[in-house]
C-alpha cells in the first residue's frame, strides 16, 4: 500500500463562537440581511479556498500555473490539484512547481483532512459522435488506484467519504438519467446506490446523507434528503435546493429552489432531520459551504456582480448557533472566489 502523504498541521484562527454543543435555536423571524462591507474582520477560512488561481487556507498559499480559469481545487497533503476550464488536471507541489498534468479531467473532489482525492478522466469529445467511457481514480499520495467504467457517458465526482468515492453518472442506454454510485478504491467495480433515487446534488462528508432532485422531466425542483444506508427519507422541500451538509450531517445548507439571478439571494440552514429552518441570511451569494459543524462560509458580493470585472466580494463566516456573521477574508476584486471540494 502506498504511503500516505503527511497532512500538514495548521493552527486555526480564533473561532467565531465557542466549540460547544449547539443550542436549539428559536424559530427565525426572517432572513438576517448581510451587509458584508460593514461586518467585522475575523479569522481566515479554515477550509481551502481560492482567489482566481491562488489557493489559500488550510495550507501553504500556492498559485496554480494556468493560462485559463480554474474549475475545482483540492489539497492532497502539501500538494494542490486543480482542474482547468480546458479539462486538464494540474498537480502542483509545495514549492509551486507543476509535477503532473492529466488531460480530459473535468471533475475533482478531496477529503476534508486532505489525505485523499478522487477524479475521473473521460475521452475527448468528438463533434457529432456519442462518446462513452471513463476512468475513475483515487489518490492518497502514492500510485493512484483506478477503475474502468466503459459504459459511462457523463460522470461527476460528488464526495470522497468514509473510504468511498461517490459519483453520479449516466450510462449507455440511459443517457438522460443520472444515478448515484459508490466505489471503494481497490475494488473491481463500483456499486449502484439504490437507496438514493434521482439526480444527486450532494453527499455528506461522513457518507450518511444525500440530497437529490426527482428523476422526472416535469421541472420539479424539490430536494429530498435521504439516509444512504437505509433509504429512509428525512424530509422533502420544494422551497430550497440542498447543496451541502455540515460534517456531522446535522445541518443542511441550501439555496432557493429556483434562481433567477447570477447569485442566490438567500442562504438557508435547515435541520437535516426535520427540514425546519434554523437560520437564513439574505444578500447576494455565489457559494455556501459548511466550514465545520458550527459555521457556514459564503462568498458574498459587496459591489457589482454578474459579468462586472470590478465586482468586489468577500468570504463571510456565519454561526449556525447564533446566526452572527463576520468577514473571513478581506474584500477583494477577483473574478473567481470558490472553496475546495
Amino acid at each position: 500500500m502506498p504511503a500516505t502523504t503527511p497532512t500538514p498541521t495548521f493552527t486555526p484562527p480564533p473561532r467565531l463562537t465557542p466549540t460547544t454543543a449547539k443550542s436549539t435555536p428559536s424559530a427565525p423571524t426572517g432572513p438576517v440581511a448581510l451587509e458584508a462591507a460593514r461586518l467585522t474582520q475575523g479569522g481566515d477560512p479554515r477550509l481551502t479556498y481560492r482567489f482566481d488561481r491562488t489557493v489559500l487556507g488550510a495550507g501553504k498559499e500556492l498559485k496554480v500555473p494556468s493560462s485559463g480559469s480554474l474549475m475545482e481545487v483540492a489539497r492532497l497533503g502539501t500538494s494542490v490539484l486543480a482542474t482547468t476550464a480546458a479539462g486538464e488536471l494540474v498537480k502542483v507541489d509545495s514549492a509551486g512547481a507543476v509535477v503532473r498534468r492529466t488531460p480530459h479531467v473535468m471533475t475533482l473532489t478531496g477529503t476534508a483532512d486532505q489525505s485523499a482525492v478522487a477524479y475521473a478522466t473521460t475521452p475527448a469529445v468528438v463533434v457529432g459522435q456519442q462518446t462513452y467511457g471513463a476512468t475513475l481514480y483515487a489518490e492518497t499520495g502514492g500510485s493512484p488506484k483506478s477503475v474502468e467504467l466503459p459504459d459511462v457517458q457523463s460522470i461527476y465526482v460528488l464526495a470522497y467519504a468514509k473510504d468511498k468515492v461517490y459519483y453520479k453518472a449516466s450510462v449507455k442506454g440511459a443517457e438522460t438519467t443520472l444515478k448515484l454510485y459508490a466505489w471503494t478504491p481497490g475494488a473491481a467495480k463500483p456499486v449502484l446506490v439504490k437507496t438514493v433515487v434521482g439526480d444527486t446534488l450532494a453527499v455528506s462528508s461522513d457518507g450518511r446523507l444525500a440530497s437529490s432532485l426527482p428523476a422526472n422531466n416535469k421541472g420539479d425542483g424539490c430536494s429530498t434528503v435521504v439516509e444512504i444506508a437505509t433509504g429512509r427519507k428525512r424530509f422533502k422541500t420544494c422551497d430550497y435546493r440542498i447543496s451541502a451538509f455540515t460534517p456531522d450531517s446535522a445541518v443542511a445548507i441550501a439555496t432557493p429552489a429556483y434562481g433567477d439571478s447570477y447569485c442566490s439571494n438567500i442562504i438557508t440552514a435547515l435541520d437535516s432531520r426535520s427540514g425546519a429552518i434554523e437560520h437564513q441570511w439574505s444578500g447576494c451569494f455565489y457559494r455556501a459551504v459548511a466550514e465545520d459543524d458550527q459555521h457556514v462560509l459564503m462568498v458574498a458580493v459587496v459591489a457589482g456582480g454578474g459579468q462586472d470585472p470590478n465586482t468586489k466580494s468577500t468570504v463571510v463566516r456565519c454561526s449556525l448557533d447564533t446566526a452572527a456573521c463576520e468577514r473571513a477574508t478581506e474584500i477583494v476584486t477577483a473574478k473567481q472566489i470558490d472553496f475546495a471540494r
Side-chain angles (χ1 to χ4, degrees), residues 8 33 59 85 98 133 143 154 189 236 244 259 296 309:
V98 175
S143 299
S154 62
K189 60 181 182 179
K236 179 179 179 179
V296 61

Side-chain angles (χ1 to χ4, degrees), residues 48-56 61-75 80-85 286 299 306 308-315 329 331-340:
T48 296
Y49 65 103
R50 66 183 176 91
F51 290 155
D52 294 329
R53 292 190 292 274
T54 301
V55 180
L56 309 99
E61 178 179 324
L62 291 172
K63 186 170 184 178
V64 178
S66 173
S67 58
S69 60
L70 303 184
M71 302 300 289
E72 296 169 339
V73 299
R75 286 191 186 270
V80 164
L81 288 87
T83 56
T84 69
Y286 283 136
V299 179
D308 184 350
N310 298 314
T311 294
K312 296 183 182 299
S313 305
T314 183
V315 175
T329 68
I331 297 172
V332 297
T333 301
K335 294 180 180 178
Q336 292 179 314
I337 303 177
D338 206 353
F339 304 104

Side-chain angles (χ1 to χ4, degrees), residues 4-16:
T4 301
T5 303
T7 302
T9 301
F10 308 106
T11 302
R15 289 180 177 270
L16 181 63

Side-chain angles (χ1 to χ4, degrees), residues 102-104 119-123 132-138 144-155 165 167 169-171 181-191:
T102 306
H104 309 308
Y119 52 92
T121 60
T122 55
Y132 297 95
T135 304
L136 181 62
Y137 292 90
K145 295 180 180 179
S146 64
V147 62
E148 296 295 328
L149 308 171
D151 294 332
V152 164
Q153 186 185 48
S154 62
I155 182 170
V165 177
Y167 69 93
S170 63
V171 298
Y181 297 84
W183 175 57
T184 301
K189 60 181 182 179
V191 176

Side-chain angles (χ1 to χ4, degrees), residues 19-25 246 248 250-251 278 293-295 320-321:
T19 54
T20 57
K22 288 190 298 181
S23 60
T24 302
T246 52
D248 62 3
V251 177
E278 295 193 345
D293 293 340
Q294 293 184 312
H295 302 92
L320 292 171
D321 187 16

Side-chain angles (χ1 to χ4, degrees), residues 67-131:
S67 58
S69 60
L70 303 184
M71 302 300 289
E72 296 169 339
V73 299
R75 286 191 186 270
L76 178 61
T78 58
S79 300
V80 164
L81 288 87
T83 56
T84 69
E88 182 180 56
L89 177 69
V90 180
K91 185 175 183 180
V92 180
D93 66 14
S94 59
V98 175
V99 295
R100 191 176 73 225
R101 294 182 183 272
T102 306
H104 309 308
V105 177
M106 298 296 290
T107 179
L108 165 72
T109 192
T111 56
D113 65 1
Q114 305 175 10
S115 65
V117 295
Y119 52 92
T121 60
T122 55
V125 174
V126 179
V127 177
Q129 294 184 16
Q130 294 274 26
T131 56

